[in-house]
Amino acid sequence: MIQIITYHSYISTDTGGVESLIRFIQDTVNKRNHPTIETKIVELFHIRKNLTHESPRENVIYKQITAPFSQIPIISSLARKILFKKELNKLLPKDNIFNIIIITQLKDLFFIDTKILKNKYVNVYLVQTNRSDIWSPNFLLKLLKKKINKCAALSVYTNFDYEIYNRLFSEFNINLDINIIPRSCKLSTAKIPKKMSSKIVSITRIEERQKKISSMLKIMDFLPQRYTLDIYGDGEVQEVNNLKKLITNNNNIRYMGVAHDVKKVLDNYALFIMTSEYEGFGQTLIEARSQGLPIVLFNNFPSAQWIIKDGENGFLVRNNDYITFAKKISAILESENVYKKMSNNALKFSSETEANLVAEKWIDHLKL
């Protein structure tokens, strides 16, 4: 028997890139249907929102780890991690059941006992979920070097991320296998390219600190009024209310709520934009690409240049250069030839994130 344990703050039935990744791993394992080896999946999480985005997966045991509330965030976080450690120690059996632990934050290694990492029946896999300097700052690599060396492997999104981690691990004398596994696109690739229009869309979590949604408004100021922007996404009530206030006097910008049917939403637009300060991968980018939408975004994370081949299926813009961002939008949406080329290329590049291909990479990575 194999027991697979995933750990992340939010339940995977919620919205979000990491949540989508965990669901994909669970689905991949469930579809594998090994004829002789039984597999059990346990998901450990802390937070469950009131509204769930996806149905619970079959063969997954969901275990919520609740901790006493504190008005001091660091105390609440520490309490959760200590309870995670306790729960993990309960889950790991003493008999010869093989265990795979998948963690999405490097700091979680602090709360996994060294004896667990040394156990021949346990493999701990690290999964990059954000830009390298945010997911694994140098001080964490120094502190956790011995524990990292005892892990099974690290998965990163692209060859650009691989180069960063290969260099970092060499610098800190860390010996760990690194495998490149991009995110899987949950949408089937569109059959025909898009038609050019002046309708722009963004699907994002409504959170100003990371997503910099106010930057979208500044960019739209440099575009003619015939261009429209619709923003879709979920977020905290205060964040959503702040966005609504920001766009009150903008006749060509709308907040549209949650995109429940992403494919149907994307069908109504010609161009996708993202203004995030940082991302790990950008799930919505590959979804937009799969439907033939050219993309313009700030070049703020390594995966951006893997998803967007600059000048081929969109443009990468220097951070906070709003004028150039607007010019790149116009360059795409003012030329039928440019638009057709970029839309066709978007569909062609989408083969890189087809679900079957990515699922095979995960099966090989986890040695299932």
Side-chain angles (χ1 to χ4, degrees):
M1 179 180 178
I2 298 175
Q3 178 175 239
I4 298 177
I5 302 168
T6 65
Y7 173 59
H8 177 57
S9 294
Y10 290 88
I11 189 170
S12 65
T13 53
D14 281 344
T15 57
V18 179
E19 291 76 13
S20 175
L21 171 62
I22 293 173
R23 289 196 305 271
F24 181 78
I25 294 171
Q26 292 168 348
D27 290 344
T28 298
V29 172
N30 278 330
K31 290 175 184 175
R32 169 177 145 274
N33 290 328
H34 197 285
T36 59
I37 302 176
E38 181 186 353
T39 303
K40 174 185 176 184
I41 306 174
V42 180
E43 178 180 322
L44 302 179
F45 69 95
H46 296 295
I47 303 166
R48 183 198 302 266
K49 294 178 184 176
N50 293 328
L51 296 175
T52 55
H53 176 67
E54 293 268 345
S55 300
R57 271 25 187 185
E58 294 181 8
N59 194 33
V60 176
I61 299 168
Y62 298 88
K63 300 194 74 170
Q64 185 171 13
I65 306 170
T66 56
F69 174 77
S70 172
Q71 291 184 335
I72 304 174
I74 193 169
I75 292 178
S76 291
S77 177
L78 182 59
R80 288 173 182 168
K81 299 299 181 184
I82 291 171
L83 290 173
F84 156 65
K85 178 178 180 178
K86 185 178 179 181
E87 191 65 40
L88 190 61
N89 288 337
K90 275 195 234 173
L91 279 171
L92 292 178
K94 305 303 179 185
D95 53 17
N96 293 351
I97 295 176
F98 191 75
N99 296 273
I100 291 173
I101 303 170
I102 299 173
I103 56 175
T104 59
Q105 294 188 53
L106 186 64
K107 62 185 179 183
D108 294 338
L109 274 179
F110 277 118
F111 302 93
I112 299 179
D113 289 337
T114 303
K115 66 178 181 180
I116 290 176
L117 291 165
K118 289 181 177 179
N119 192 313
K120 66 178 180 179
Y121 295 111
V122 178
N123 274 351
V124 176
Y125 287 85
L126 308 175
V127 180
Q128 176 205 356
T129 54
N130 219 322
R131 200 175 66 190
S132 59
D133 57 328
I134 295 169
W135 188 78
S136 59
N138 286 3
F139 78 91
L140 274 185
L141 292 175
K142 290 179 182 178
L143 289 173
L144 293 169
K145 182 172 76 172
K146 290 182 179 179
K147 286 196 170 188
I148 294 171
N149 278 325
K150 290 180 173 63
C151 292
L154 164 70
S155 64
V156 299
Y157 292 130
T158 71
N159 56 308
F160 299 105
D161 299 286
Y162 177 89
E163 290 169 5
I164 292 169
Y165 278 102
N166 195 41
R167 184 172 61 251
L168 278 173
F169 284 3
S170 297
E171 181 182 341
F172 290 106
N173 295 316
I174 293 172
N175 183 25
L176 183 67
D177 287 338
I178 309 172
N179 292 318
I180 301 170
I181 310 179
R183 286 280 181 86
S184 162
C185 183
K186 66 182 180 182
L187 305 181
S188 57
T189 303
K191 302 298 182 185
I192 58 175
K194 297 287 292 181
K195 291 184 179 179
M196 191 176 76
S197 74
S198 57
K199 297 178 69 176
I200 304 167
V201 66
S202 185
I203 303 175
T204 182
R205 186 173 71 254
I206 309 303
E207 182 199 338
E208 177 62 22
R209 184 182 64 85
Q210 178 187 348
K211 305 301 182 179
K212 297 295 181 184
I213 298 170
S214 61
S215 295
M216 298 182 191
L217 280 65
K218 295 174 183 176
I219 292 161
M220 292 299 290
D221 284 343
F222 292 102
L223 290 168
Q225 279 292 307
R226 70 177 182 276
Y227 286 91
T228 62
L229 169 64
D230 286 348
I231 302 169
Y232 292 79
D234 192 11
E236 300 295 332
V237 173
Q238 188 60 50
E239 293 275 4
V240 172
N241 288 339
N242 288 343
L243 172 59
K244 289 178 179 178
K245 289 178 184 176
L246 278 175
I247 64 176
T248 299
N249 298 319
N250 295 81
N251 295 326
N252 60 342
I253 303 175
R254 299 184 297 176
Y255 171 63
M256 305 297 288
V258 178
H260 293 291
D261 187 336
V262 174
K263 186 176 177 66
K264 188 174 180 180
V265 166
L266 292 173
D267 283 345
N268 295 315
Y269 299 93
L271 182 84
F272 190 96
I273 65 171
M274 175 183 279
T275 53
S276 297
E277 187 73 20
Y278 59 89
E279 290 285 342
F281 187 77
Q283 187 74 28
T284 56
L285 295 177
I286 59 171
E287 291 171 354
R289 187 176 73 168
S290 76
Q291 302 311 296
L293 273 74
I295 300 168
V296 183
L297 76 158
F298 289 131
N299 190 14
N300 285 342
F301 52 99
S303 296
Q305 56 191 313
W306 185 85
I307 298 170
I308 310 305
K309 280 71 171 174
D310 193 39
E312 296 184 57
N313 66 315
F315 290 111
L316 301 170
V317 180
R318 188 176 68 250
N319 192 33
N320 295 332
D321 187 347
Y322 309 120
I323 296 176
T324 299
F325 201 115
K327 287 180 178 178
K328 295 299 185 183
I329 290 174
S330 295
I332 298 171
L333 297 183
E334 298 289 345
S335 167
E336 289 281 0
N337 289 335
V338 171
Y339 189 86
K340 185 177 179 180
K341 180 194 82 169
M342 288 198 169
S343 184
N344 275 311
N345 282 337
L347 298 178
K348 181 176 73 173
F349 299 151
S350 290
S351 62
E352 300 170 321
T353 54
E354 287 180 354
N356 290 340
L357 175 67
V358 178
E360 287 176 10
K361 290 179 181 292
W362 272 108
I363 292 296
D364 290 342
H365 180 64
L366 299 175
K367 298 178 173 61
L368 293 174

